[in-house]
Amino acid sequence: MAAVTYDHVVKRYTADVTVVKDLNVDIKDKEFMVLVGPSGCGKSTALRMLAGLESITEGQIRIGDRVVNNVAAKDRDIAMVFQSYALYPHMSVYDNMAFPLQMQHMKKDEMDRRVKNASKILGLDPFLKRKPRALSGGQRQRVALGRAIVRSPKVFLLDEPLSNLDAKLRGQTRIELQKLHRELETTFIYVTHDQVEAMTMGDRIAIMNAGILQQVGTPGDVYDHPANLFVAGFIGTPTMNFVPVTTSDSTAKASGFEAKLPKSVPAGKGTLGFRPEALTDRQSADGSNLQMKVDVVERLGSDQYLYGQVGSDQVTARVDPRMKVAPGDTAQLGLDTRSIHLFDAESEVAFF
Amino acid sequence: MTVAAAAQPTTVAARFSPGWITQLLQRYMLHVVVIGLTVAWMLPTIGLLVSSFRPFALTKTSGWWTALSPLEFTLQNYTDVLDQSNLGQAFFNSFMVSVPATVIPVTIGAFAAYAFAWMKFPARNWIFLALVGLLAVPLQLTFVPVLSFYVNTLHWTTSNLENIGIPGLPWVPLWLAHAGYGLPFSIYLLANFFRALPSDLFESAEIDGAGTLTVFFRIILPLSVPALASLVIFQFLWVWNDLLVALIYVGGAPEVAPLTVNLADLTTSLGQGSNLLTSAAFFSMVVPLIVFLSLQRYFVRGILAGSVKG
Amino acid sequence: MDFSVLLQDIPTLLVVIIGVPAILAAYIVGGEFLVRRLPDKNRPQVRPWIWVGPALILVAGYLLLPAIGTIGQSFENNAGNWVGFNNYASQFADFPQGGAWVAIRNNVIFWLIFYTIFTLAFGLVLAVLFDRVRYESVVKSLIFMPMAISSVALGIIWIFMYQYSPTGESQVGTLNAIITFFHHDPVVWLQDQWPSDKFNLLNNLALIGAATWGITGFSMVILSAALKGIPGELLEAARVDGAGELTVFRRVIFPLMMPTIVVVGTTLVIFALKAFDVVYVMTGGNYNTDVLAFRMYEQLYTAGNSGHASAVAVILLIAVIPVLIFNLRQFRAVEARR
């Protein structure tokens, strides 16, 4: 139970290979923080520096008040769940979970109590004598969690723990992990490339790209108020529509339509962003209506997505599933200008 | 008897069958050829085995294949060989040579392979490359200096070492030599195996607080049993069957010479007419054949792992 | 037999079986113990050397330094005086029958070519044939078995195969019995100088045949694994493309096995150049069947001339060097792909 602080942390392998650039994050005690980003963005390296598996080139990492830069991994009072689970194949489930406690030379009965406790929480009681290879993927994943739990660490690190599970199990495990977080009342730091996992589980999300932290915030924050073009495009499926526009005062002119902006901006070029759900078959109150030449229609039952051209731009709209529309039709759509975003063409930073 | 332990259940034959011969003819031909070749391959061994049970006088006048017509078998050759030569002693010596000469290079090789696979140190890759190069260096190149160092500098002759009176000591020169010669292969094989183990396991163990020794003894060694087993068999058979190295470093002194040296002496000193030769040859094969037949799958795995370096 | 020898020495055996591993374990535990006393910063610098140290010392002491020493010694006489290339000159004297010429010819022509090619060919044929029968593992074991026995025993087995009795007497050697059955005169396999005493292929082939018999299992096992590694779909694709079975073998199977054949081939070349035991046991290098390894042994022990012996060993090294370089290149190529 401790806060974690990344203070101007840099990881550099060679002079021109820097994988983490000046990372500053404050993770609160008992928080569920998700580090998310595309592969190679430095999120795993950030986690591994915290775990003590990689050295820190510059800056400080603190667990609580303690600077851990030069503390050995085993003395940081953390536990880590690996993507591959890293279960020792030659040890039984019980021994796998007991291993970290044996390393601490813990008394046998205390060790036994803790392992039994963890296995009860995770429903592993029937499998304690089995070897990992005799377990299903989901069970293995729980053993890996159990091995972390028994240590009652200050911080839990999870490195893509769900990516080896099938889709259905992943959904279940997401829920179980949140429950576990509530029960254990410990700081969780969770690395994933999957923005759905990030959005559903994190108290807060830290989005990274190319070694640089892009935005930290609650799931609602980053969804509704992305700080820049990258975050806007990374979070949400289907992805946000981006249309190049010329702005003057409070209108944005795209190739196929004009939109009223909620506030005035300096004249110039920019990128207009709006999520598919902002483009619907309901007419817009402020007259930001447009015509789409429909290329593809995707009916998902609860939703209907239209993919097509507006002017010379490719956009996606989410319309009422009862709307009758076929490829080749021209659809009349309305843009909800309350939830549009405008990004600077150069810096890609959001105006709003 | 499963050389093809790792073989896939379906054979290439199922997919690779000439259409221009009728299936039936082809199938019989195939079995005739396969079994014929195998029997031909075994003939030399069978011949010697049969001869070893025939009265010596008969083997000089008639071939082993006539053994059935005057059905005359004897154990005389075996009892003779056990009485006359130093075979019992040589047998014991072979064990005294082979066991430590296997344990030492495999253990030390495992230590080194661990460092090569999972530790960083200067010139690591260059040293490893040098070991790969040394795999091909003829041992002959090393005999003269090592021998002169043994004899002239250390005074490690068999009689000197015996006089010190520590059990096993007279074989130490041979153990160390076999260890030195066997190490490049054993490091090469084990380092490749260790390197293929998932790094997550070690990182996890590191976070759990396991030290270097714990990782080595409790994680790496248990996970490497297959590689270690094939290496042990390999090295054991190599040492047990070795003639040259033993000949050079301990020579023919009966109190230290292993079976191969003893046997080679029989061929040269008694000539080809000896009735002891056949039975002695089989005597020397007993241990390797037991090892081979019982642990064949590891042996084959080791061969595959060690040679497919391309 | 005096099994009493065995019994009374059992304590010795136990001391060795327990003592040797105990010393090794004590070394590494003690080494780690010392490393842990070092300051944090120095540990990662010292630790690897504790683990590789003994191996490096042994390899350096038994392979690297002696090899260098031998190269030096090949330029000295027994008294340790510098003699320049004299030792080499005496090895290369009196072409073609003197010096080391016969041994060189036997090694780098007869053994290298025939041993390697026979072994690869037999191995390939057996692997392909055995792959088509259900009792594959049994026949493979039987072919493989000679791998387990010593070359000395192998030599004895083949001495009996090659046994000769004069024409007219009953032949007890298997091979002579077979050829006399076909009304050919018996052959003195291990001494016959056919086709000429300057180019005695036959008795060398007899030795090579015996060695080939022993090693074929090795190449068969590896080639068979490579054969099984070829995906069946490839063969099917080739057949669908209209290739006949022979074409499938020539154009698909064989090229795909080529890398493995090359690897086995280089290993066999090294074996061929190092050949010793069979020659020592079966002919003692007589009748122009000398090889470099045997000549080196003879120069050292029979002639007691370590300078000459060293020169022969260096010649052997020079013969091996191309293979050694090839191996290193292969290894680096594989490492680069990692």
Side-chain angles (χ1 to χ4, degrees), chain A residues 214-230:
Chain A
Q214 306 287 321
Q215 187 174 4
V216 184
T218 63
D221 260 356
V222 295
Y223 190 82
D224 291 332
H225 307 291
N228 57 34
L229 198 66
F230 175 81

Side-chain angles (χ1 to χ4, degrees), chain A residues 284-303:
Chain A
S284 165
D286 60 6
S288 296
N289 291 318
L290 51 89
Q291 294 187 326
M292 176 201 262
K293 200 171 158 300
V294 179
D295 293 330
V296 176
V297 178
E298 248 180 32
R299 288 192 183 83
L300 300 178
S302 61
D303 287 313

Side-chain angles (χ1 to χ4, degrees), chain B residues 75-89 91 276 279-280 283, chain C residues 1-3:
Chain B
L75 285 174
Q76 191 62 41
N77 297 327
Y78 284 90
T79 51
D80 280 358
V81 82
L82 293 178
D83 287 341
Q84 287 178 23
S85 62
N86 293 308
L87 221 56
Q89 178 72 43
F91 196 74
L276 303 183
S279 46
F283 196 72
Chain C
M1 169 173 114
D2 42 349
F3 273 110

Side-chain angles (χ1 to χ4, degrees), chain A residues 48 84 90 102 147 151, chain B residues 200-201 203-205 207 218:
Chain A
R48 290 165 58 84
S84 68
H90 56 295
Q102 286 173 3
R147 199 169 59 184
R151 298 184 60 183
Chain B
D200 281 2
L201 286 182
E203 293 180 341
S204 175
I207 293 178
R218 292 202 48 192

Side-chain angles (χ1 to χ4, degrees), chain C residues 73-116:
Chain C
Q73 225 161 355
S74 69
F75 297 103
E76 294 171 356
N77 63 14
N78 265 2
N81 299 318
W82 175 263
V83 294
F85 282 92
N86 279 359
N87 291 326
Y88 292 93
S90 58
Q91 297 312 314
F92 291 113
D94 305 326
F95 182 81
Q97 295 294 311
W101 283 112
V102 170
I104 291 172
R105 178 202 69 188
N106 289 345
N107 260 134
V108 303
I109 300 179
F110 291 167
W111 277 82
L112 193 137
I113 293 174
F114 292 111
Y115 177 81
T116 310

Side-chain angles (χ1 to χ4, degrees), chain B residues 92-114:
Chain B
F92 171 80
N93 293 346
S94 270
F95 269 110
M96 285 301 286
V97 172
S98 307
V99 174
T102 304
V103 170
I104 296 171
V106 172
T107 314
I108 290 182
F111 294 161
Y114 179 31

